[in-house]
Amino acid sequence: MATKNFLLFSIVLFGQLILAQDKPAIPLNEVIVSDSQLKSFSSSQSVLKLTDSIISKNQSSLTSLLNYNTVIYFKENGLGMVSSPSFRGTTAQQTAVVWNGININSQLLGQTDFNTISTRGYNSIDVKAGGGSVVYGSGAIGGTIHLNNDLKFTNTFKNNLAIYYGDFNTLSAVYGITAATNKWSTNASFTRNSSDNDFKFIGEEGKNTNGQYYNTNLSTAIGYKLNATNSIKFYSEIYDGERHFSLTSPYAVKTKYQDFNTRNLLAWTSSIEKSVSNLKLAYITEHYNYFADIENEGYTSGGVKSFIAKYDFVYELAPKISLNTILDYNKSNGLGSGIGTNSRQIGGLSVLLKQSINDKWIYELSARKELSDVYKSPFLFSAGSTIDFSKLYQLKFTISRNYRVPTFNDLYWEGSGNPNLLPEDSYQAEVGNQFRYKAFKLNATIYTSKINDMIRWLPNNSGNWSPINTDNVSIYGAEALLGWNKNFNGHSLDFNGTYSYTVSLDDKNDKQLFYVPYHKLTAAFSHSYKRFTSYYQFMFIGEVFTTSDNDPKNILSDYNVSNLGMDYNFSKKDVCKIGFKVANLWNEKYESLPSRLMPGRNLTLYLTLNY
């Protein structure tokens, strides 16, 4: 039935296309960017771009990629299990995942499970630190993760196949195809991952039981140039997965969780003289089945279907002044064992202004107001500027107000939901410094944030747990992003590193929020010579509290994990490559949640073909 609905929706959308006028205007660029606001209106914030070469050196899950290459901290319920981020000291619900310009955080939970996102279907993945609610809506407080399917209109035809096999009977297969002319462009990928996930515990008896998982992901992007000034694009993604949740004791009941998510997006871009308009229609579904005891047939389930319409219009007021107006509408219908049948509607208007005072000074202003039938949204704003003092030094600063809306579970959970919840409200400011010298680049940012009306589930007078607006949090910290590369005598060297210092305090008791480390450090070094490439990855996580009272008895110790990889290319044209990766090279015993040990040293072999 889900497949039939998907096909029907695709046919209806394609059947509604209307050709725009043929009058030549501003020719569309060779590359069609899926998220124009990220490219054009993020000058004053820190944006880290993760390229294909970085993506390929990590496992296919978004958790692994971001863990070893960004300042974001992740807590995992074991390898491949539920994965939740903390970005700049915020909660998992305060980081937004943006797919081709559309916020895809769960309407049920308010967050994205990063182990349900496969990285192999995207041209690039960008990490933007700091608030972004003016453009991307709810949850864009700590930062946003951007998954991009950019289309290139040049004569191209290529296939790539990658096969990975590793310890614990872990198997991954990825197939991708790119085909394009000056009129058509298509990217498609298929990913399959599975693992018995039965690793032995380090320094303890026993092994990880009931941890097996599989997932399948199909991603497609199709673009067509109607004429010199109009194009249409269709993006689609289907995810199907099942995870058995690892046991914390031999006597625990075995459980499992099934996910089925679909995303479909139709976009029409038109350029007329000094303006560019972009209309997006999206249909997103999420569905889960939870088996509290896999020995029994019973399970609970839930899901949400969302329709999103988004229209943005960019007009060049002057050669160096751009005005961008965004109208969007979101209607979500939820149905589940705990939330019953409920729906909500959200409409919003955003206005963005960018001006280049001269070649060295840019400023950005933006504002947003929403209307909803469920809650009252605050007035949002953002203001930032970028100043190039020289070729060596650039200064950035931004202030903004951002928010997060209550989820379907918060509002409607049977017997516990609270329909009177307010959105979480955040004010923040940051100052960034960028230094460049030849092949060396350093971005250093300090920031502060104040979050009000944080939503927490607490026991009420009757003993039931219910969400209320209770906490206020004060956050401050610093981040550093470092990059360097060097080429000489056939050798190519690359180094990337990140560091974050984060203080996130509950105003009531002046205690650090639990599962927010003070320190995180990552480093990645790669070396290429002729047909050989080797790389080393390092990650350090400082100690974290696991309770809100910061009890010293409830601390997870700091840990550092390293990975080592090497591959050999049999052809100058990168046709065939074999390699290996050793994860957790030094066999470190670590966990990001109590009683959720991660695997020790393990090996993965891989083969990639490009033709």
Side-chain angles (χ1 to χ4, degrees), residues 319-353:
K320 294 184 178 181
I321 304 177
S322 296
L323 180 67
N324 189 182
T325 302
I326 303 173
L327 287 168
D328 56 77
Y329 170 78
N330 185 328
K331 182 176 181 180
S332 298
N333 297 309
L335 175 64
S337 304
I339 63 172
T341 302
N342 283 284
S343 66
R344 70 178 176 193
Q345 301 181 68
I346 304 171
L349 170 64
S350 300
V351 178
L352 296 77
L353 176 69

PDB file of all heavy atoms in Angstrom, residues 319-353:
ATOM      1  N   PRO A 319      22.405  45.934  -7.577  1.00  0.00           N
ATOM      2  CA  PRO A 319      23.457  44.971  -7.902  1.00  0.00           C
ATOM      3  C   PRO A 319      24.020  44.224  -6.699  1.00  0.00           C
ATOM      4  O   PRO A 319      24.466  43.103  -6.831  1.00  0.00           O
ATOM      5  CB  PRO A 319      24.526  45.854  -8.571  1.00  0.00           C
ATOM      6  CG  PRO A 319      23.756  46.961  -9.194  1.00  0.00           C
ATOM      7  CD  PRO A 319      22.626  47.237  -8.242  1.00  0.00           C
ATOM      8  N   LYS A 320      23.968  44.839  -5.499  1.00  0.00           N
ATOM      9  CA  LYS A 320      24.543  44.178  -4.325  1.00  0.00           C
ATOM     10  C   LYS A 320      23.537  44.012  -3.195  1.00  0.00           C
ATOM     11  O   LYS A 320      23.922  43.805  -2.048  1.00  0.00           O
ATOM     12  CB  LYS A 320      25.759  44.965  -3.831  1.00  0.00           C
ATOM     13  CG  LYS A 320      26.919  44.967  -4.822  1.00  0.00           C
ATOM     14  CD  LYS A 320      28.138  45.666  -4.251  1.00  0.00           C
ATOM     15  CE  LYS A 320      29.306  45.622  -5.236  1.00  0.00           C
ATOM     16  NZ  LYS A 320      30.513  46.279  -4.682  1.00  0.00           N
ATOM     17  N   ILE A 321      22.241  44.073  -3.516  1.00  0.00           N
ATOM     18  CA  ILE A 321      21.197  43.911  -2.494  1.00  0.00           C
ATOM     19  C   ILE A 321      20.193  42.859  -2.965  1.00  0.00           C
ATOM     20  O   ILE A 321      19.623  42.987  -4.057  1.00  0.00           O
ATOM     21  CB  ILE A 321      20.458  45.233  -2.224  1.00  0.00           C
ATOM     22  CG1 ILE A 321      21.437  46.334  -1.819  1.00  0.00           C
ATOM     23  CG2 ILE A 321      19.423  45.040  -1.114  1.00  0.00           C
ATOM     24  CD1 ILE A 321      20.785  47.681  -1.609  1.00  0.00           C
ATOM     25  N   SER A 322      19.977  41.829  -2.148  1.00  0.00           N
ATOM     26  CA  SER A 322      19.018  40.770  -2.465  1.00  0.00           C
ATOM     27  C   SER A 322      17.969  40.685  -1.369  1.00  0.00           C
ATOM     28  O   SER A 322      18.286  40.725  -0.174  1.00  0.00           O
ATOM     29  CB  SER A 322      19.730  39.422  -2.599  1.00  0.00           C
ATOM     30  OG  SER A 322      20.624  39.423  -3.679  1.00  0.00           O
ATOM     31  N   LEU A 323      16.720  40.552  -1.791  1.00  0.00           N
ATOM     32  CA  LEU A 323      15.599  40.378  -0.863  1.00  0.00           C
ATOM     33  C   LEU A 323      14.949  39.032  -1.144  1.00  0.00           C
ATOM     34  O   LEU A 323      14.603  38.717  -2.285  1.00  0.00           O
ATOM     35  CB  LEU A 323      14.579  41.494  -1.044  1.00  0.00           C
ATOM     36  CG  LEU A 323      13.338  41.435  -0.134  1.00  0.00           C
ATOM     37  CD1 LEU A 323      13.734  41.678   1.313  1.00  0.00           C
ATOM     38  CD2 LEU A 323      12.288  42.451  -0.595  1.00  0.00           C
ATOM     39  N   ASN A 324      14.797  38.224  -0.099  1.00  0.00           N
ATOM     40  CA  ASN A 324      14.221  36.879  -0.238  1.00  0.00           C
ATOM     41  C   ASN A 324      12.993  36.768   0.669  1.00  0.00           C
ATOM     42  O   ASN A 324      13.092  36.944   1.884  1.00  0.00           O
ATOM     43  CB  ASN A 324      15.265  35.837   0.153  1.00  0.00           C
ATOM     44  CG  ASN A 324      14.834  34.402  -0.157  1.00  0.00           C
ATOM     45  OD1 ASN A 324      15.542  33.464   0.139  1.00  0.00           O
ATOM     46  ND2 ASN A 324      13.684  34.205  -0.763  1.00  0.00           N
ATOM     47  N   THR A 325      11.841  36.514   0.074  1.00  0.00           N
ATOM     48  CA  THR A 325      10.604  36.302   0.826  1.00  0.00           C
ATOM     49  C   THR A 325      10.212  34.834   0.740  1.00  0.00           C
ATOM     50  O   THR A 325      10.213  34.247  -0.355  1.00  0.00           O
ATOM     51  CB  THR A 325       9.467  37.168   0.269  1.00  0.00           C
ATOM     52  OG1 THR A 325       9.858  38.542   0.321  1.00  0.00           O
ATOM     53  CG2 THR A 325       8.201  36.990   1.084  1.00  0.00           C
ATOM     54  N   ILE A 326       9.869  34.244   1.888  1.00  0.00           N
ATOM     55  CA  ILE A 326       9.516  32.822   1.937  1.00  0.00           C
ATOM     56  C   ILE A 326       8.137  32.675   2.571  1.00  0.00           C
ATOM     57  O   ILE A 326       7.889  33.151   3.684  1.00  0.00           O
ATOM     58  CB  ILE A 326      10.534  32.010   2.755  1.00  0.00           C
ATOM     59  CG1 ILE A 326      11.948  32.187   2.190  1.00  0.00           C
ATOM     60  CG2 ILE A 326      10.152  30.539   2.782  1.00  0.00           C
ATOM     61  CD1 ILE A 326      13.023  31.551   3.048  1.00  0.00           C
ATOM     62  N   LEU A 327       7.239  32.009   1.859  1.00  0.00           N
ATOM     63  CA  LEU A 327       5.933  31.616   2.389  1.00  0.00           C
ATOM     64  C   LEU A 327       5.910  30.099   2.506  1.00  0.00           C
ATOM     65  O   LEU A 327       6.288  29.398   1.555  1.00  0.00           O
ATOM     66  CB  LEU A 327       4.810  32.074   1.459  1.00  0.00           C
ATOM     67  CG  LEU A 327       4.485  33.573   1.425  1.00  0.00           C
ATOM     68  CD1 LEU A 327       3.555  33.871   0.249  1.00  0.00           C
ATOM     69  CD2 LEU A 327       3.833  34.000   2.731  1.00  0.00           C
ATOM     70  N   ASP A 328       5.480  29.581   3.646  1.00  0.00           N
ATOM     71  CA  ASP A 328       5.423  28.128   3.784  1.00  0.00           C
ATOM     72  C   ASP A 328       4.197  27.710   4.583  1.00  0.00           C
ATOM     73  O   ASP A 328       3.665  28.466   5.399  1.00  0.00           O
ATOM     74  CB  ASP A 328       6.699  27.594   4.432  1.00  0.00           C
ATOM     75  CG  ASP A 328       7.009  28.219   5.769  1.00  0.00           C
ATOM     76  OD1 ASP A 328       6.362  27.844   6.763  1.00  0.00           O
ATOM     77  OD2 ASP A 328       7.899  29.093   5.834  1.00  0.00           O
ATOM     78  N   TYR A 329       3.779  26.487   4.318  1.00  0.00           N
ATOM     79  CA  TYR A 329       2.598  25.913   4.975  1.00  0.00           C
ATOM     80  C   TYR A 329       2.873  24.443   5.238  1.00  0.00           C
ATOM     81  O   TYR A 329       3.404  23.729   4.380  1.00  0.00           O
ATOM     82  CB  TYR A 329       1.368  26.080   4.091  1.00  0.00           C
ATOM     83  CG  TYR A 329       0.150  25.309   4.574  1.00  0.00           C
ATOM     84  CD1 TYR A 329      -0.620  25.782   5.635  1.00  0.00           C
ATOM     85  CD2 TYR A 329      -0.217  24.107   3.976  1.00  0.00           C
ATOM     86  CE1 TYR A 329      -1.725  25.083   6.083  1.00  0.00           C
ATOM     87  CE2 TYR A 329      -1.328  23.393   4.412  1.00  0.00           C
ATOM     88  CZ  TYR A 329      -2.083  23.887   5.467  1.00  0.00           C
ATOM     89  OH  TYR A 329      -3.188  23.180   5.903  1.00  0.00           O
ATOM     90  N   ASN A 330       2.526  23.989   6.433  1.00  0.00           N
ATOM     91  CA  ASN A 330       2.754  22.600   6.815  1.00  0.00           C
ATOM     92  C   ASN A 330       1.514  22.062   7.505  1.00  0.00           C
ATOM     93  O   ASN A 330       1.050  22.635   8.498  1.00  0.00           O
ATOM     94  CB  ASN A 330       3.967  22.514   7.759  1.00  0.00           C
ATOM     95  CG  ASN A 330       4.339  21.085   8.115  1.00  0.00           C
ATOM     96  OD1 ASN A 330       3.499  20.201   8.209  1.00  0.00           O
ATOM     97  ND2 ASN A 330       5.625  20.856   8.330  1.00  0.00           N
ATOM     98  N   LYS A 331       0.969  20.986   6.978  1.00  0.00           N
ATOM     99  CA  LYS A 331      -0.140  20.300   7.636  1.00  0.00           C
ATOM    100  C   LYS A 331       0.282  18.876   7.926  1.00  0.00           C
ATOM    101  O   LYS A 331       0.719  18.154   7.036  1.00  0.00           O
ATOM    102  CB  LYS A 331      -1.403  20.296   6.774  1.00  0.00           C
ATOM    103  CG  LYS A 331      -2.576  19.615   7.480  1.00  0.00           C
ATOM    104  CD  LYS A 331      -3.856  19.687   6.686  1.00  0.00           C
ATOM    105  CE  LYS A 331      -5.005  19.023   7.448  1.00  0.00           C
ATOM    106  NZ  LYS A 331      -6.286  19.062   6.711  1.00  0.00           N
ATOM    107  N   SER A 332       0.163  18.475   9.199  1.00  0.00           N
ATOM    108  CA  SER A 332       0.580  17.143   9.628  1.00  0.00           C
ATOM    109  C   SER A 332      -0.596  16.419  10.261  1.00  0.00           C
ATOM    110  O   SER A 332      -1.304  16.974  11.105  1.00  0.00           O
ATOM    111  CB  SER A 332       1.736  17.237  10.635  1.00  0.00           C
ATOM    112  OG  SER A 332       2.868  17.852  10.056  1.00  0.00           O
ATOM    113  N   ASN A 333      -0.779  15.167   9.867  1.00  0.00           N
ATOM    114  CA  ASN A 333      -1.822  14.299  10.420  1.00  0.00           C
ATOM    115  C   ASN A 333      -1.154  13.121  11.111  1.00  0.00           C
ATOM    116  O   ASN A 333      -0.376  12.383  10.493  1.00  0.00           O
ATOM    117  CB  ASN A 333      -2.749  13.796   9.311  1.00  0.00           C
ATOM    118  CG  ASN A 333      -3.499  14.922   8.633  1.00  0.00           C
ATOM    119  OD1 ASN A 333      -4.112  15.755   9.295  1.00  0.00           O
ATOM    120  ND2 ASN A 333      -3.453  14.959   7.307  1.00  0.00           N
ATOM    121  N   GLY A 334      -1.447  12.976  12.406  1.00  0.00           N
ATOM    122  CA  GLY A 334      -0.844  11.902  13.180  1.00  0.00           C
ATOM    123  C   GLY A 334      -1.854  10.848  13.581  1.00  0.00           C
ATOM    124  O   GLY A 334      -3.018  11.141  13.854  1.00  0.00           O
ATOM    125  N   LEU A 335      -1.390   9.600  13.620  1.00  0.00           N
ATOM    126  CA  LEU A 335      -2.231   8.485  14.031  1.00  0.00           C
ATOM    127  C   LEU A 335      -1.346   7.463  14.712  1.00  0.00           C
ATOM    128  O   LEU A 335      -0.320   7.053  14.166  1.00  0.00           O
ATOM    129  CB  LEU A 335      -2.918   7.848  12.815  1.00  0.00           C
ATOM    130  CG  LEU A 335      -3.736   6.576  13.078  1.00  0.00           C
ATOM    131  CD1 LEU A 335      -4.912   6.887  13.989  1.00  0.00           C
ATOM    132  CD2 LEU A 335      -4.215   5.964  11.762  1.00  0.00           C
ATOM    133  N   GLY A 336      -1.719   7.062  15.942  1.00  0.00           N
ATOM    134  CA  GLY A 336      -0.888   6.087  16.618  1.00  0.00           C
ATOM    135  C   GLY A 336      -1.509   5.534  17.873  1.00  0.00           C
ATOM    136  O   GLY A 336      -2.531   6.024  18.360  1.00  0.00           O
ATOM    137  N   SER A 337      -0.855   4.507  18.419  1.00  0.00           N
ATOM    138  CA  SER A 337      -1.355   3.840  19.619  1.00  0.00           C
ATOM    139  C   SER A 337      -1.408   4.785  20.804  1.00  0.00           C
ATOM    140  O   SER A 337      -2.284   4.672  21.659  1.00  0.00           O
ATOM    141  CB  SER A 337      -0.449   2.646  19.962  1.00  0.00           C
ATOM    142  OG  SER A 337      -0.337   1.755  18.867  1.00  0.00           O
ATOM    143  N   GLY A 338      -0.470   5.753  20.870  1.00  0.00           N
ATOM    144  CA  GLY A 338      -0.433   6.647  22.013  1.00  0.00           C
ATOM    145  C   GLY A 338      -1.024   8.015  21.775  1.00  0.00           C
ATOM    146  O   GLY A 338      -1.493   8.665  22.711  1.00  0.00           O
ATOM    147  N   ILE A 339      -1.034   8.477  20.506  1.00  0.00           N
ATOM    148  CA  ILE A 339      -1.466   9.847  20.236  1.00  0.00           C
ATOM    149  C   ILE A 339      -2.856   9.938  19.643  1.00  0.00           C
ATOM    150  O   ILE A 339      -3.381  11.041  19.440  1.00  0.00           O
ATOM    151  CB  ILE A 339      -0.471  10.544  19.280  1.00  0.00           C
ATOM    152  CG1 ILE A 339      -0.442   9.835  17.916  1.00  0.00           C
ATOM    153  CG2 ILE A 339       0.908  10.625  19.896  1.00  0.00           C
ATOM    154  CD1 ILE A 339       0.372  10.575  16.874  1.00  0.00           C
ATOM    155  N   GLY A 340      -3.476   8.789  19.355  1.00  0.00           N
ATOM    156  CA  GLY A 340      -4.807   8.819  18.752  1.00  0.00           C
ATOM    157  C   GLY A 340      -4.749   9.410  17.358  1.00  0.00           C
ATOM    158  O   GLY A 340      -3.762   9.258  16.635  1.00  0.00           O
ATOM    159  N   THR A 341      -5.810  10.131  16.970  1.00  0.00           N
ATOM    160  CA  THR A 341      -5.863  10.797  15.668  1.00  0.00           C
ATOM    161  C   THR A 341      -5.882  12.302  15.885  1.00  0.00           C
ATOM    162  O   THR A 341      -6.832  12.839  16.452  1.00  0.00           O
ATOM    163  CB  THR A 341      -7.116  10.370  14.882  1.00  0.00           C
ATOM    164  OG1 THR A 341      -7.104   8.944  14.711  1.00  0.00           O
ATOM    165  CG2 THR A 341      -7.135  11.035  13.513  1.00  0.00           C
ATOM    166  N   ASN A 342      -4.835  12.975  15.454  1.00  0.00           N
ATOM    167  CA  ASN A 342      -4.720  14.415  15.655  1.00  0.00           C
ATOM    168  C   ASN A 342      -4.011  15.049  14.467  1.00  0.00           C
ATOM    169  O   ASN A 342      -3.306  14.369  13.707  1.00  0.00           O
ATOM    170  CB  ASN A 342      -3.945  14.729  16.937  1.00  0.00           C
ATOM    171  CG  ASN A 342      -4.769  14.545  18.194  1.00  0.00           C
ATOM    172  OD1 ASN A 342      -5.619  15.378  18.514  1.00  0.00           O
ATOM    173  ND2 ASN A 342      -4.535  13.444  18.904  1.00  0.00           N
ATOM    174  N   SER A 343      -4.194  16.340  14.320  1.00  0.00           N
ATOM    175  CA  SER A 343      -3.532  17.055  13.232  1.00  0.00           C
ATOM    176  C   SER A 343      -3.192  18.466  13.695  1.00  0.00           C
ATOM    177  O   SER A 343      -3.735  18.962  14.687  1.00  0.00           O
ATOM    178  CB  SER A 343      -4.418  17.112  11.993  1.00  0.00           C
ATOM    179  OG  SER A 343      -5.571  17.887  12.229  1.00  0.00           O
ATOM    180  N   ARG A 344      -2.292  19.112  12.962  1.00  0.00           N
ATOM    181  CA  ARG A 344      -1.985  20.507  13.226  1.00  0.00           C
ATOM    182  C   ARG A 344      -1.525  21.172  11.934  1.00  0.00           C
ATOM    183  O   ARG A 344      -1.025  20.504  11.020  1.00  0.00           O
ATOM    184  CB  ARG A 344      -0.933  20.662  14.318  1.00  0.00           C
ATOM    185  CG  ARG A 344       0.467  20.230  13.948  1.00  0.00           C
ATOM    186  CD  ARG A 344       1.390  20.493  15.124  1.00  0.00           C
ATOM    187  NE  ARG A 344       2.742  20.032  14.891  1.00  0.00           N
ATOM    188  CZ  ARG A 344       3.665  19.920  15.843  1.00  0.00           C
ATOM    189  NH1 ARG A 344       3.352  20.224  17.090  1.00  0.00           N
ATOM    190  NH2 ARG A 344       4.880  19.512  15.567  1.00  0.00           N
ATOM    191  N   GLN A 345      -1.711  22.494  11.881  1.00  0.00           N
ATOM    192  CA  GLN A 345      -1.340  23.271  10.716  1.00  0.00           C
ATOM    193  C   GLN A 345      -0.456  24.441  11.157  1.00  0.00           C
ATOM    194  O   GLN A 345      -0.683  25.048  12.205  1.00  0.00           O
ATOM    195  CB  GLN A 345      -2.577  23.800  10.004  1.00  0.00           C
ATOM    196  CG  GLN A 345      -3.530  22.717   9.523  1.00  0.00           C
ATOM    197  CD  GLN A 345      -4.730  23.297   8.815  1.00  0.00           C
ATOM    198  OE1 GLN A 345      -4.603  23.855   7.720  1.00  0.00           O
ATOM    199  NE2 GLN A 345      -5.906  23.176   9.424  1.00  0.00           N
ATOM    200  N   ILE A 346       0.546  24.732  10.333  1.00  0.00           N
ATOM    201  CA  ILE A 346       1.475  25.829  10.610  1.00  0.00           C
ATOM    202  C   ILE A 346       1.694  26.599   9.315  1.00  0.00           C
ATOM    203  O   ILE A 346       1.989  26.006   8.270  1.00  0.00           O
ATOM    204  CB  ILE A 346       2.833  25.317  11.132  1.00  0.00           C
ATOM    205  CG1 ILE A 346       2.651  24.449  12.380  1.00  0.00           C
ATOM    206  CG2 ILE A 346       3.771  26.484  11.423  1.00  0.00           C
ATOM    207  CD1 ILE A 346       3.917  23.741  12.810  1.00  0.00           C
ATOM    208  N   GLY A 347       1.539  27.902   9.369  1.00  0.00           N
ATOM    209  CA  GLY A 347       1.860  28.762   8.240  1.00  0.00           C
ATOM    210  C   GLY A 347       2.859  29.808   8.666  1.00  0.00           C
ATOM    211  O   GLY A 347       2.825  30.285   9.806  1.00  0.00           O
ATOM    212  N   GLY A 348       3.768  30.172   7.768  1.00  0.00           N
ATOM    213  CA  GLY A 348       4.802  31.114   8.154  1.00  0.00           C
ATOM    214  C   GLY A 348       5.222  32.033   7.027  1.00  0.00           C
ATOM    215  O   GLY A 348       5.077  31.700   5.843  1.00  0.00           O
ATOM    216  N   LEU A 349       5.724  33.188   7.396  1.00  0.00           N
ATOM    217  CA  LEU A 349       6.272  34.162   6.461  1.00  0.00           C
ATOM    218  C   LEU A 349       7.650  34.574   6.955  1.00  0.00           C
ATOM    219  O   LEU A 349       7.813  34.997   8.101  1.00  0.00           O
ATOM    220  CB  LEU A 349       5.376  35.398   6.364  1.00  0.00           C
ATOM    221  CG  LEU A 349       5.960  36.606   5.606  1.00  0.00           C
ATOM    222  CD1 LEU A 349       6.194  36.258   4.139  1.00  0.00           C
ATOM    223  CD2 LEU A 349       5.039  37.817   5.740  1.00  0.00           C
ATOM    224  N   SER A 350       8.660  34.448   6.085  1.00  0.00           N
ATOM    225  CA  SER A 350      10.024  34.862   6.397  1.00  0.00           C
ATOM    226  C   SER A 350      10.492  35.876   5.367  1.00  0.00           C
ATOM    227  O   SER A 350      10.168  35.757   4.172  1.00  0.00           O
ATOM    228  CB  SER A 350      10.981  33.659   6.393  1.00  0.00           C
ATOM    229  OG  SER A 350      10.605  32.680   7.343  1.00  0.00           O
ATOM    230  N   VAL A 351      11.254  36.852   5.825  1.00  0.00           N
ATOM    231  CA  VAL A 351      11.837  37.862   4.946  1.00  0.00           C
ATOM    232  C   VAL A 351      13.336  37.945   5.246  1.00  0.00           C
ATOM    233  O   VAL A 351      13.734  38.113   6.403  1.00  0.00           O
ATOM    234  CB  VAL A 351      11.181  39.241   5.138  1.00  0.00           C
ATOM    235  CG1 VAL A 351      11.845  40.275   4.229  1.00  0.00           C
ATOM    236  CG2 VAL A 351       9.689  39.170   4.867  1.00  0.00           C
ATOM    237  N   LEU A 352      14.155  37.809   4.191  1.00  0.00           N
ATOM    238  CA  LEU A 352      15.599  37.828   4.333  1.00  0.00           C
ATOM    239  C   LEU A 352      16.178  38.916   3.433  1.00  0.00           C
ATOM    240  O   LEU A 352      15.785  39.036   2.264  1.00  0.00           O
ATOM    241  CB  LEU A 352      16.218  36.483   3.957  1.00  0.00           C
ATOM    242  CG  LEU A 352      15.885  35.253   4.801  1.00  0.00           C
ATOM    243  CD1 LEU A 352      14.488  34.712   4.482  1.00  0.00           C
ATOM    244  CD2 LEU A 352      16.897  34.148   4.560  1.00  0.00           C
ATOM    245  N   LEU A 353      17.121  39.679   3.971  1.00  0.00           N
ATOM    246  CA  LEU A 353      17.774  40.749   3.219  1.00  0.00           C
ATOM    247  C   LEU A 353      19.284  40.575   3.346  1.00  0.00           C
ATOM    248  O   LEU A 353      19.812  40.363   4.435  1.00  0.00           O
ATOM    249  CB  LEU A 353      17.370  42.121   3.759  1.00  0.00           C
ATOM    250  CG  LEU A 353      18.062  43.332   3.113  1.00  0.00           C
ATOM    251  CD1 LEU A 353      17.592  43.516   1.677  1.00  0.00           C
ATOM    252  CD2 LEU A 353      17.797  44.595   3.939  1.00  0.00           C
TER     253      LEU A 353
END
